[in-house]
Amino acid sequence: MATRIVGLVDCDSFYASCEKVFRPDWATRPIVVLSNNDGCVVARSAEAKALQIPMGEPYFRLRDFARARGVVVRSANYALYGDLSRRVMQTLEQWTPTVDVYSIDEAFLDLSSRFKDASGRYFGSTPDGEDSRPERLDERWRRVATWPDGPAEGELPGKTLDALESLAQEIVTVARRWTGIPVSLGLGPNRTLAKVASRLAKLDGARTGRKYALLFEKEARIAALKRLPLEDVWGVGRRLSERFLKGGLRTAYDLARLDPREARKEFTIEQERTIRELRGEFVFDVGTRPEPRKSMQVSRSFGEPIESLEELEKPISTFTAKLAEKLRANGLVASGIYLHASTSRFATTQEYRCVARGINLPRPTNLTPELLSTALGLLRGVYQEKLSYKRAGIVGLDLITEEAAAERRYLFEPDPTRDAARRERERRLCATLDAVRLKFGKNAAFFASEGALRPWSPNSSFISPCYTTNWNDLPKAS
């Protein structure tokens, strides 16, 4: 298979960078973004990282330090972050229609077609596929340890590499100029090496000023893998890396030297694929979407503790309605739900307590009325008096697609309380509700059990304006 050109664009310190876009006076200030209810640090600017502010640090512990060091503290503003993410992804589409959004701040690109001639060969290739470029690696690279025996995978002709470097510089420059968000770009013959290259671009960018990295040449690839800790390899993580560490593996290069077939016997096919990609093979398709998620959760901490069942029913109703809406938006249904509610871990007046219960649904569903009645029934069954609840959530379990659920056949009706006519009415109600919210806003219509007043809403004491999604928050020039 011919080498592919896969890129990973990763927004630098994304949440913190979003906060800086409309505040040029914060350009060099350390910034931290807090989780829901202003609980813990979930994002840090480079300046905040330099102050060694740890991820996950509770704000009440950070407060005095932040004031003393001039740290800007912001509440999470997901409306702003989501819109700026959309703008970054739209910007990337000018270079390739194959933009696979991986997360709010990452996207994979397939740039292969931009560098091929009419015959389908990369620029600089000879008719037999050999690289016509003379050797340009210096002696330092040539002395790097050799790769395991076998032909080199994932290499490109020199003329293509030169053109690719020019395009890489263009992408990181234009993305920053058009959106205000700094990005790092990693380029390699597959997703795993693109991830590695993106990490190198982040690590070296501040020192070199080059916000992109390429890993097509074998010697450069080996040197990069020797720098990368094993737990930072995409698809490995800390838990699996502990097993590798017991076998004496420390770096991505150590992993790449394993026999892929033996790794599959010892671990799984995913580890075999990861090793093959580290060696330069193309395994994970850029256009392949992940399997549908198996669970989905909506949970929040409350601004004020809740001490009655009646008041706790309101946020549970809101979370359940939000879960149902997210399921429908993703074309999924839940086969069961799990409810949990807990007191504060930091309270000094009572011991930490958590109540929870799950239940299988008669048939998989994403209809709000059905999920609401089930969730409220669970809550009434587990609720304990004399507790001050500070957090709660609802989880959809064993998710499947709507199409798969529709193909299921039942010998007997599993839920006699909801016949076909009732389910159809509820389906139309939910479709109408989704349309109303899409056009007029998420609070334009809601179920009565959610309550009109929501004193339990999380604290957002440091929230920034929604500069790009609210007319009243548009920046004003003065």
Side-chain angles (χ1 to χ4, degrees), residues 241-425:
S241 67
E242 292 177 359
R243 296 181 62 187
F244 287 136
L245 288 172
K246 292 179 180 178
L249 306 180
R250 296 291 183 272
T251 67
Y253 178 67
D254 294 333
L255 181 61
R257 296 176 68 184
L258 295 182
D259 185 323
R261 292 166 295 184
E262 293 300 319
R264 179 174 180 174
K265 294 176 183 178
E266 181 71 21
F267 301 100
T268 69
I269 190 174
E270 294 302 317
Q271 278 64 65
E272 177 192 3
R273 291 171 174 172
T274 296
I275 292 171
R276 292 189 183 280
E277 289 225 328
L278 289 174
R279 293 182 172 195
E281 296 181 41
F282 182 86
V283 179
F284 298 114
D285 191 352
V286 174
T288 300
R289 300 302 301 162
E291 291 297 317
R293 56 201 300 183
K294 296 302 182 182
S295 65
M296 184 181 293
Q297 176 172 214
V298 177
S299 64
R300 296 287 186 275
S301 295
F302 307 138
E304 297 294 335
I306 294 178
E307 299 181 344
S308 72
L309 174 61
E310 181 182 4
E311 289 302 312
L312 189 55
E313 287 179 342
K314 296 175 182 178
I316 290 296
S317 296
T318 299
F319 301 161
T320 304
K322 180 63 176 177
L323 173 66
E325 184 179 5
K326 290 174 66 177
L327 288 171
R328 293 193 294 272
N330 288 275
L332 300 172
V333 292
S335 302
I337 59 172
Y338 173 83
L339 177 142
H340 62 87
S342 59
T343 61
S344 172
R345 294 183 181 273
F346 304 103
T348 57
T349 57
Q350 66 177 353
E351 183 182 359
Y352 174 74
R353 295 288 298 278
C354 179
V355 297
R357 182 172 295 174
I359 190 173
N360 291 328
L361 297 167
R363 65 165 67 212
T365 185
N366 57 19
L367 300 179
T368 306
E370 185 173 359
L371 292 174
L372 269 178
S373 61
T374 305
L376 293 177
L378 282 177
L379 176 62
R380 292 161 191 153
V382 300
Y383 180 79
Q384 296 181 14
E385 297 182 351
K386 299 182 180 180
L387 293 181
S388 297
Y389 294 94
K390 187 64 175 174
R391 184 178 181 85
I394 191 81
V395 186
L397 303 173
D398 192 16
L399 307 186
I400 60 174
T401 63
E402 291 177 323
E403 293 78 7
E407 293 175 356
R408 292 189 176 183
R409 297 291 181 265
Y410 301 91
L411 183 60
F412 301 103
E413 173 54 55
D415 186 4
T417 65
R418 277 182 163 78
D419 57 20
R422 181 176 179 180
R423 286 196 299 273
E424 178 60 22
R425 289 196 302 271

Side-chain angles (χ1 to χ4, degrees), residues 87-371:
R87 295 178 183 219
V88 171
M89 303 311 168
Q90 286 184 338
T91 299
L92 299 178
E93 290 175 356
Q94 67 178 297
W95 292 289
T96 174
T98 311
V99 177
D100 186 22
V101 179
Y102 182 65
S103 66
I104 193 171
D105 61 347
E106 292 179 291
F108 285 102
L109 316 176
D110 189 339
L111 301 169
S112 307
S113 61
R114 293 183 62 95
F115 298 95
K116 292 182 177 180
D117 57 24
S119 63
R121 292 193 298 267
Y122 282 115
F123 305 154
S125 295
T126 57
D128 60 1
E130 293 296 325
D131 187 352
S132 61
R133 176 201 59 174
E135 179 61 57
R136 68 174 187 174
L137 294 177
D138 59 32
E139 184 179 356
R140 177 176 62 88
W141 284 119
R142 289 196 293 271
R143 289 200 307 267
V144 174
T146 59
W147 196 255
D149 294 338
E153 299 280 355
E155 297 197 328
L156 288 175
K159 187 175 181 180
T160 297
L161 281 175
D162 293 339
L164 185 56
E165 286 204 27
S166 177
L167 180 67
Q169 182 62 59
E170 177 185 334
I171 291 174
V172 297
T173 301
V174 173
R176 174 69 180 269
R177 182 184 302 143
W178 286 15
T179 68
I181 303 297
V183 303
S184 299
L185 172 61
L187 291 158
N190 53 53
R191 282 191 166 197
T192 303
L193 287 174
K195 273 271 194 180
V196 174
S198 175
R199 182 172 179 81
L200 289 180
K202 282 182 177 292
L203 291 174
D204 299 339
R207 176 176 54 84
T208 65
R210 174 171 149 161
K211 296 302 298 293
Y212 66 89
L214 284 67
L215 289 183
F216 292 94
E217 295 173 311
K218 186 172 69 173
E219 291 83 358
R221 191 185 309 157
I222 292 174
L225 296 183
K226 287 184 175 181
R227 293 178 57 189
L228 187 68
L230 192 60
E231 62 268 19
D232 291 337
V233 176
W234 187 44
V236 174
R238 295 188 182 276
R239 182 175 300 179
L240 185 58
S241 67
E242 292 177 359
R243 296 181 62 187
F244 287 136
L245 288 172
K246 292 179 180 178
L249 306 180
R250 296 291 183 272
T251 67
Y253 178 67
D254 294 333
L255 181 61
R257 296 176 68 184
L258 295 182
D259 185 323
R261 292 166 295 184
E262 293 300 319
R264 179 174 180 174
K265 294 176 183 178
E266 181 71 21
F267 301 100
T268 69
I269 190 174
E270 294 302 317
Q271 278 64 65
E272 177 192 3
R273 291 171 174 172
T274 296
I275 292 171
R276 292 189 183 280
E277 289 225 328
L278 289 174
R279 293 182 172 195
E281 296 181 41
F282 182 86
V283 179
F284 298 114
D285 191 352
V286 174
T288 300
R289 300 302 301 162
E291 291 297 317
R293 56 201 300 183
K294 296 302 182 182
S295 65
M296 184 181 293
Q297 176 172 214
V298 177
S299 64
R300 296 287 186 275
S301 295
F302 307 138
E304 297 294 335
I306 294 178
E307 299 181 344
S308 72
L309 174 61
E310 181 182 4
E311 289 302 312
L312 189 55
E313 287 179 342
K314 296 175 182 178
I316 290 296
S317 296
T318 299
F319 301 161
T320 304
K322 180 63 176 177
L323 173 66
E325 184 179 5
K326 290 174 66 177
L327 288 171
R328 293 193 294 272
N330 288 275
L332 300 172
V333 292
S335 302
I337 59 172
Y338 173 83
L339 177 142
H340 62 87
S342 59
T343 61
S344 172
R345 294 183 181 273
F346 304 103
T348 57
T349 57
Q350 66 177 353
E351 183 182 359
Y352 174 74
R353 295 288 298 278
C354 179
V355 297
R357 182 172 295 174
I359 190 173
N360 291 328
L361 297 167
R363 65 165 67 212
T365 185
N366 57 19
L367 300 179
T368 306
E370 185 173 359
L371 292 174

Side-chain angles (χ1 to χ4, degrees), residues 406-449:
E407 293 175 356
R408 292 189 176 183
R409 297 291 181 265
Y410 301 91
L411 183 60
F412 301 103
E413 173 54 55
D415 186 4
T417 65
R418 277 182 163 78
D419 57 20
R422 181 176 179 180
R423 286 196 299 273
E424 178 60 22
R425 289 196 302 271
E426 292 179 348
R427 186 194 65 77
R428 291 182 179 181
L429 171 65
C430 292
T432 301
L433 183 63
D434 292 343
V436 169
R437 286 179 164 176
L438 180 63
K439 185 172 183 179
F440 298 104
K442 62 181 181 180
N443 294 322
F446 51 86
F447 287 83
S449 61

